[in-house]
């Protein structure tokens, strides 16, 4: 990670170009890796990331089983309609028949039951008539079965030793079911990253407090805490730092929880009351970069505080939320041992857009599907980065590259659907 302690403000040759979103993301991710491994019981691992590959301990099914109710037979004995067989036993799920099917034999069988030795076909019960449901009953073939029909061979689904899950996989309910079926009860996982969340600003009061003159409720920390949890990490509340030099450092150093990442909001510019950049330039900390060619979110800080990676998000609620989607989510994924690349789709614009400037734009928008099932996206009329109501009502961001030409209604644009949970 670059650790320059100088800002990228203007030099003799004029201001440095802003860092692109892609370059900023690469530099943020470069310094991140998962740390510890822990063993967890499978019922508790949804959303967690596997630290090692998993091989099947059992085959599925463990033996050839019937896929239907009927009779386990030899196809050779059922070549003509009206052929008759003798019932010699019964195989039910969990209660296999341990004999062998010989010439003219039929074994009553049910779904999931082991196919007895000697049988090669399941004659469906609908395709046969039985004189009774008892031993020695005569079974008449009414429909000639196809040889091998309705038998699931041993290992059809999974074979012992097969690699069923790769390290880095995010566990879902269905993957938990797979690992369980293959004989596992617990798995090794990367420890969930602990993400410290710090708000900054003299105007902020905690939720539940009635704001006094000039005060507002700090909503960013609540948003980020929920966001971090939805990404599979553990949020750690670092409180609110007042707009004073050294406050950010004091709050981060005040926690006893070991942190994998610190996220701050606000104070990210270089105004009189913004202290994150200066605090990071202080001894023992590192400042990477702090200006990105994006809107919303130009002041975005990357650095380390006492060796802990730090992401300094802007204060405006929508800016911090958009930056969380673009930078924080992939950062948490990397710290968790997985990867996150946002899904992007192409959609037709419902209304035109003016030419874009040098910053990559993330426009709050509504994504819908027309009667032909084609995606159509409508940018919100107001794009003010302070307006949480507009962000809350959006379900997608239109991503416009720097210097994008004017777009007409009907033109395709790239759209990033927002995770409905964040
Ligand atoms: P700043 O980047 O500190 O100048 O903040 C930019 C804007 O975001 C200001 O209007 C702040 O009041 C607002 N803001 C900063 N932090 C928060 C927060 N935690 N919750 C809600 N709004 C915030
Ligand atoms: Mg502030």
């Amino acid at each position: 990670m670059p650790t320059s302690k100088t800002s990228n403000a203007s030099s003799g040759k004029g201001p440095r170009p802003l860092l692109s979103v892609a370059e900023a993301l690469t530099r943020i991710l470069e310094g991140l890796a998962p740390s510890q491994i822990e063993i967890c019981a499978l019922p508790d691992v949804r959303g967690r990331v596997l630290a090692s590959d998993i091989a099947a301990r059992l085959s599925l099914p463990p033996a050839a089983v019937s896929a239907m109710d009927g009779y386990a037979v030899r196809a050779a004995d059922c070549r003509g309609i009206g052929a008759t067989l003798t019932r010699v036993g019964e195989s039910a799920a969990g209660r296999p028949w341990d004999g062998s099917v010989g010439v003219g034999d039929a074994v009553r069988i049910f779904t999931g039951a082991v196919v007895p030795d000697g049988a090669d076909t399941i004659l469906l019960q609908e395709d046969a008539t039985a004189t009774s449901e008892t031993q020695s009953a005569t079974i008449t073939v009414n429909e000639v079965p196809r040889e091998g029909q309705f038998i699931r061979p041993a290992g059809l689904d999974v074979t012992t030793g097969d690699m069923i899950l790769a390290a880095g996989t995010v566990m879902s309910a269905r993957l938990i079911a797979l690992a369980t079926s293959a004989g596992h009860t617990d798995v090794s996982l990367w420890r969930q990253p602990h993400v410290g969340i710090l708000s900054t600003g003299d105007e902020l009061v905690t939720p539940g407090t009635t704001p006094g003159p000039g005060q507002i409720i700090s909503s960013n920390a609540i948003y980020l805490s929920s966001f971090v949890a939805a990404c599979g990490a553990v949020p750690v509340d670092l409180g609110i730092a007042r707009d004073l030099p050294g406050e950010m450092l004091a709050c981060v150093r005040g926690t006893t929880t070991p942190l994998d990442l610190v996220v701050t909001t606000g104070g990210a510019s270089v105004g009189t009351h913004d202290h994150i950049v200066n605090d990071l330039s202080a001894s023992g900390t590192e400042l990477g970069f702090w200006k990105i060619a994006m809107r919303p979110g130009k002041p975005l800080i990357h650095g380390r505080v006492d060796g802990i990676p730090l992401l300094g998000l802007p204060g405006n609620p929508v800016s911090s939320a958009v930056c969380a989607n673009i930078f924080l989510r992939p950062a948490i994924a990397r710290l968790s041992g997985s990867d996150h690349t946002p899904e992007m789709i192409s959609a037709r614009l419902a209304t035109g857009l003016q030419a874009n400037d040098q910053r990559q734009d993330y426009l709050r928008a509504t994504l819908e599907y027309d009667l032909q099932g084609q995606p159509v996206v409508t940018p919100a009329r107001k794009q003010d980065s302070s307006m949480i109501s507009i962000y809350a009502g959006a379900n997608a961001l239109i991503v416009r590259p720097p210097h994008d030409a004017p777009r007409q209604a009907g033109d395709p644009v790239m759209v990033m659907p927002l995770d409905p949970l964040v």
Side-chain angles (χ1 to χ4, degrees):
M1 190 191 73
T3 57
S4 154
K5 289 187 179 172
T6 58
S7 76
N8 48 359
S10 49
S11 68
K13 295 177 193 145
R16 280 194 211 174
L18 301 174
L19 203 60
S20 74
V21 171
E23 175 62 18
L25 182 59
T26 303
R27 284 163 68 170
I28 289 168
L29 296 183
E30 236 160 46
L32 305 179
S35 52
Q36 295 164 37
I37 290 175
E38 56 195 20
I39 308 290
C40 289
L42 274 170
D44 305 326
V45 307
R46 186 167 44 81
R48 302 286 304 274
V49 183
L50 286 182
S52 54
D53 298 344
I54 295 194
R57 291 190 176 143
L58 304 172
S59 291
L60 291 174
V65 293
S66 178
M68 300 293 273
D69 292 344
Y71 298 89
V73 297
R74 294 158 16 102
D77 298 339
C78 307
R79 290 271 145 81
I81 291 176
T84 56
L85 307 160
T86 304
R87 174 169 168 158
V88 295
E90 178 182 297
S91 181
R95 284 185 285 112
W97 185 70
D98 58 7
S100 184
V101 174
V103 176
D105 290 346
V107 167
R108 184 71 166 117
I109 197 163
F110 301 96
T111 305
V114 174
V115 176
D117 285 348
D120 58 18
T121 300
I122 304 301
L123 172 65
L124 289 183
Q125 64 186 22
E126 297 88 325
D127 294 343
T129 315
T131 51
S132 73
E133 265 299 338
T134 54
Q135 192 71 349
S136 306
T138 299
I139 314 299
T140 306
V141 175
N142 297 332
E143 196 72 49
V144 173
R146 185 176 38 79
E147 184 170 346
Q149 72 175 21
F150 303 121
I151 293 180
R152 295 183 174 134
L156 170 73
D157 196 2
V158 169
T159 303
T160 306
D162 279 355
M163 219 261 270
I164 50 170
L165 292 169
T169 300
V170 180
M171 292 300 284
S172 59
R174 60 187 190 269
L175 298 184
I176 291 172
L178 172 64
T180 303
S181 313
H184 293 269
T185 52
D186 42 40
V187 286
S188 64
L189 302 171
W190 290 114
R191 177 176 170 270
Q192 286 177 284
H194 287 57
V195 179
I197 298 166
L198 178 67
S199 311
T200 71
D202 285 344
E203 74 280 33
L204 303 178
V205 293
T206 49
T209 312
T210 305
Q215 294 184 322
I216 57 163
I217 292 169
S218 171
S219 59
N220 289 352
I222 295 292
Y223 175 80
L224 290 171
S225 169
S226 191
F227 186 96
V228 161
C231 296
V234 180
V236 179
D237 182 13
L238 301 181
I240 299 173
R242 296 303 158 196
D243 288 328
L244 291 170
E247 275 275 296
M248 180 276 277
L249 296 177
C251 289
V252 173
R253 290 170 178 166
T255 181
T256 49
T257 310
L259 298 174
D260 300 285
L261 181 66
V262 170
V263 178
T264 64
T265 68
S269 302
V270 283
T272 315
H273 301 291
D274 299 316
H275 299 286
I276 308 284
V277 167
N278 283 337
D279 272 15
L280 281 179
S281 298
S283 116
T285 59
E286 300 166 9
L287 173 61
F289 56 80
W290 53 275
K291 275 187 183 176
I292 315 289
M294 70 184 285
R295 179 178 34 241
K298 179 173 150 210
L300 181 121
I301 301 169
H302 176 233
R304 275 179 190 258
V305 46
D306 299 340
I308 308 165
L310 176 142
L311 204 51
L313 306 181
N316 269 311
V318 180
S319 310
S320 83
V322 169
C323 289
N325 280 278
I326 306 304
F327 300 108
L328 179 56
R329 183 154 215 163
I332 289 174
R334 182 62 66 91
L335 285 168
S336 310
S338 69
D339 272 314
H340 174 79
T341 307
E343 179 199 353
M344 298 279 277
I345 63 166
S346 173
R348 276 187 296 112
L349 269 175
T351 56
L353 292 170
Q354 291 181 345
N356 193 18
D357 62 10
Q358 81 277 16
R359 287 157 72 180
Q360 180 141 305
D361 231 337
Y362 294 87
L363 301 173
R364 278 68 76 199
T366 305
L367 179 65
E368 291 163 310
Y369 289 83
D370 67 15
L371 293 175
Q372 286 71 46
Q374 297 304 311
V376 179
V377 68
T378 310
R381 283 219 306 277
K382 292 183 184 160
Q383 293 289 335
D384 188 313
S385 62
S386 71
M387 295 180 73
I388 191 72
S389 63
I390 304 283
Y391 178 65
N395 65 356
L397 298 171
I398 298 172
V399 184
R400 296 192 75 201
H403 306 294
D404 194 32
R407 301 280 160 188
Q408 315 284 322
D411 282 353
V413 283
M414 291 314 288
V415 174
M416 192 182 121
L418 289 169
D419 179 336
L421 287 184
V422 299

